[in-house]
Amino acid sequence: MKLLFAIVDREDANAVVRNLSKRGFSSTKLATTGGFLLSSNITLMVGVDDKMVQTVIDIIKEHSHSRTQVIPTNDMSFDFDVSIPMEVSVGGATIFVVNVDRFEKV
Ligand code: 2BA
């Protein structure tokens, strides 16, 4: 068994969860915050049989969209504060797949 951690945009999370559920996959939604942009995103935990990992990744991929965000950055080469906008591409989804030693529902 594997546990997938999928970090998705808040706007995509409900569609991902709904479509996972439609295909019979359970998931848990955690409210998280990205360390770079410091904006909220969603981390989904999905426990699945090894042979279904790719199916779950495909569903997540289908419903997660890539976005461009513009953030201000400071240019340190001036003696005064200059804010320069920088484009950052975020998503579709960042997925970690980890082994599960034991899974029980008691
Ligand atoms: P954030 O950390 O807020 O990062 C948002 C986006 O900013 C990233 O998009 C990436 O395009 C950019 N970015 C991140 N760190 C950067 C840096 N040091 N310099 C320049 N640009 C940087 P994604 O790669 O699609 O990541 C989306 C979110 O997924 C991240 O939000 C974070 O919450 C999570 N994530 C991505 N890679 C991760 C990793 N290796 N470990 C844990 N979480 C990760």
Side-chain angles (χ1 to χ4, degrees):
M1 185 177 207
K2 304 280 190 221
L3 179 62
L4 278 71
F5 290 95
I7 302 159
V8 300
D9 195 280
R10 268 191 321 169
E11 288 180 28
D12 296 328
N14 286 345
V16 173
V17 168
R18 215 174 30 247
N19 283 279
L20 286 172
S21 182
K22 257 192 218 165
R23 301 283 299 274
F25 298 109
S26 295
S27 63
T28 297
K29 249 171 88 176
L30 306 171
T32 46
T33 304
F36 186 67
L37 296 179
L38 298 178
S39 60
S40 45
N41 50 29
I42 297 289
T43 300
L44 300 175
M45 290 169 55
V46 191
V48 284
D49 282 343
D50 289 31
K51 58 181 186 306
M52 298 312 286
V53 167
Q54 193 54 49
T55 305
V56 169
I57 290 175
D58 290 343
I59 294 169
I60 295 169
K61 189 175 171 187
E62 188 182 341
H63 298 282
S64 303
H65 304 104
S66 210
R67 294 176 173 82
T68 303
Q69 218 165 308
V70 178
I71 55 164
T73 56
N74 279 338
D75 189 330
M76 308 298 267
S77 58
F78 293 94
D79 288 340
F80 46 92
D81 273 352
V82 180
S83 182
I84 306 216
M86 179 175 100
E87 268 200 2
V88 175
S89 158
V90 187
T94 301
I95 303 172
F96 299 89
V97 181
V98 299
N99 287 321
V100 175
D101 287 340
R102 183 168 163 173
F103 169 72
E104 296 211 18
K105 284 185 176 174
V106 293

